[in-house]
Amino acid sequence: MKELVFLESLKLDEVPFTTDEVIANRSENKLKSVKNLIRQYKDELEEFGVLRFEKAKPPKGSEGGRPRKIYHLNEEQATLLITYLDNTAPVRRFKKELVKQFFAMKKEQFSRQVLRGAGKQIRLSMTDAIRDAGFSSKFFIHFTNLCYKSAIGFNASQVRKARNIAKGHNILDYLTSEEQEAVNQREQEIATLIGLGLDYEQIKAILANGGVIYQTTLKMPQKAI
């Protein structure tokens, strides 16, 4: 099923959106007509938030050409815009699928928020266990990386780089619900194992033997040549 709803990043408070190009393509309307409607009803659309857009570069290999403006419409803006289209069969099919995907995206975000809330207390229990067991300060990052690596297959710095997470932002705010659930589970296990008096190497061996809980997929940014 083709993706109709997007997020600019996996940050927990991102607003889901669709684009004018998706609306035109899936409703079988001309893109120029959809853009004209957006400009015509801009004030009404902005009653539901700022009308955002991106400037997309011309296709690679093309000669010249100006960047094209792609509008980003939130759920309310997209729903309103569709009411201005002719009520054809393609428009009705598209609207039903768009509603489903916006609902699925919001459901996923709610699950992430719930897990993130629980994760704050779980994280605190792990850091308290590290401190109370007398580990030096360097072990906080060691256990954090061990947690991520054994939970989702990548350490914290790899996740930060792949998700383009700015310095000072919490990595946990950029995890999917499956990733957050796996990290929560690992942090609980690490806190328990520390409480049993095991050292870092013993805990690392136990977790390695259990395998990765949820092997996520990350695309690392390409290095500039």
Side-chain angles (χ1 to χ4, degrees):
M1 184 183 299
K2 189 172 181 180
E3 191 173 8
L4 307 179
V5 178
F6 314 94
L7 295 171
E8 289 188 2
S9 78
L10 273 177
K11 194 169 186 295
L12 197 56
D13 58 0
E14 287 283 11
V15 176
F17 68 92
T18 190
T19 71
D20 56 337
E21 295 187 351
V22 167
I23 292 172
N25 179 264
R26 293 301 297 271
S27 70
E28 299 184 17
N29 278 271
K30 291 182 179 179
L31 180 58
K32 182 178 180 180
S33 298
V34 172
K35 287 185 181 294
N36 285 340
L37 282 174
I38 291 173
R39 288 190 285 266
Q40 181 180 351
Y41 294 104
K42 181 175 182 293
D43 290 344
E44 294 183 23
L45 292 170
E46 289 200 323
E47 291 180 23
F48 299 96
V50 175
L51 187 58
R52 298 178 297 139
F53 63 86
E54 64 174 296
K55 288 290 187 69
K57 296 179 180 178
K60 190 174 182 181
S62 63
E63 296 182 5
R66 298 172 59 186
R68 70 185 192 279
K69 180 184 284 189
I70 303 176
Y71 287 100
H72 290 191
L73 297 100
N74 63 32
E75 183 177 12
E76 292 83 0
Q77 290 168 336
T79 301
L80 178 60
L81 181 63
I82 291 171
T83 67
Y84 299 141
L85 300 175
D86 291 336
N87 192 32
T88 62
V91 168
R92 293 194 298 272
R93 285 195 299 269
F94 166 65
K95 184 175 182 179
K96 286 192 291 184
E97 184 55 38
L98 188 67
V99 168
K100 290 177 183 178
Q101 290 200 22
F102 266 119
F103 178 81
M105 183 72 78
K106 289 189 294 184
K107 185 178 179 181
E108 163 68 7
Q109 286 187 301
F110 179 74
S111 296
R112 290 174 61 200
Q113 290 167 354
V114 171
L115 288 165
R116 180 71 178 95
K120 290 179 180 180
Q121 188 58 45
I122 295 169
R123 173 72 182 178
L124 183 61
S125 69
M126 186 182 80
T127 55
D128 284 350
I130 295 169
R131 183 199 62 219
D132 295 344
F135 286 101
S136 64
S137 59
K138 69 179 181 180
F139 276 94
F140 284 93
I141 187 62
H142 289 339
F143 275 112
T144 295
N145 279 325
L146 175 61
C147 172
Y148 278 91
K149 189 76 174 179
S150 62
I152 61 176
F154 295 90
N155 64 35
S157 61
Q158 289 171 322
V159 175
R160 183 175 292 278
K161 185 175 181 180
R163 298 267 163 89
N164 194 28
I165 303 172
K167 187 176 180 180
H169 287 205
N170 196 314
I171 295 175
L172 296 173
D173 290 334
Y174 291 78
L175 299 183
T176 66
S177 57
E178 293 89 352
E179 292 165 352
Q180 180 71 68
E181 194 168 15
V183 169
N184 286 358
Q185 180 180 329
R186 272 294 185 252
E187 287 181 336
Q188 285 180 315
E189 292 169 352
I190 289 172
T192 299
L193 293 171
I194 291 173
L196 292 174
L198 301 183
D199 63 27
Y200 175 79
E201 292 300 330
Q202 290 173 318
I203 295 172
K204 183 178 179 180
I206 290 171
L207 298 184
N209 187 55
V212 175
I213 296 174
Y214 175 79
Q215 179 63 62
T216 194
T217 301
L218 296 181
K219 185 177 181 181
M220 296 297 173
Q222 297 292 321
K223 293 182 178 179
I225 299 176

